[in-house]
Amino acid sequence: MASSQLVVFAIVAIILPAVAMATDFLVGDDKGWTVGVNCTEWSNGKAFYAGDRLVFLQCSPHNVYRVNGTSFKECNPSGILMNSGNDTVILDLPGKKWFICGVSSRCEVGQKLVTARLEPTPATESN
């Protein structure tokens, strides 16, 4: 019994700081997810960690598709559609994440985002 409680405590002690340290990133800052915002430039210099959240604020007719690398390059909206106007993506797995606007030619004129490689959470980094 004490052993299982210790395991639960250890898991909570590891996960809780990571969740508490998560950051919300408003994509495009105060301009939001729209044409004219260079999301590549916006994401430069940002370190994304597991548990961080990308917040896409967009107004009609914009939307957000979470796509793979090929669809990103081809501006092919063939992924997961998000179009509530206030969509949040939790960065939970390592690797690049790709997003495009699927409306008209918005992706072709630059309304797209690829995140940098996810880093380990600061709480789990080794010295």
Side-chain angles (χ1 to χ4, degrees):
M1 176 83 163
S3 173
S4 63
Q5 288 175 336
L6 182 60
V7 169
V8 169
F9 176 75
I11 291 171
V12 169
I14 291 169
I15 294 175
L16 190 58
V19 171
M21 294 174 64
T23 301
D24 286 348
F25 289 94
L26 180 58
V27 176
D29 294 326
D30 59 340
K31 294 178 183 165
W33 175 250
T34 190
V35 173
V37 174
N38 185 331
C39 289
T40 301
E41 188 176 289
W42 171 84
S43 67
N44 283 342
K46 290 180 175 52
F48 298 104
Y49 295 96
D52 286 349
R53 295 172 292 273
L54 296 176
V55 180
F56 292 88
L57 294 180
Q58 76 270 2
C59 52
S60 184
H62 301 285
N63 58 32
V64 181
Y65 278 88
R66 186 173 182 169
V67 297
N68 62 29
T70 302
S71 293
F72 179 83
K73 289 177 190 171
E74 297 172 354
C75 286
N76 178 9
S78 62
I80 299 168
L81 172 62
M82 299 173 282
N83 62 356
S84 75
N86 185 5
D87 298 294
T88 300
V89 175
I90 299 172
L91 301 175
D92 54 355
L93 298 173
K96 290 184 177 182
K97 308 293 182 254
W98 298 272
F99 304 92
I100 65 171
C101 180
V103 175
S104 169
S105 61
R106 299 246 162 59
C107 177
E108 288 86 351
V109 297
Q111 193 173 353
K112 55 198 225 175
L113 168 69
V114 59
T115 64
R117 183 162 181 80
L118 249 56
E119 301 294 331
T121 57
T124 61
E125 289 180 16
S126 59
N127 293 331

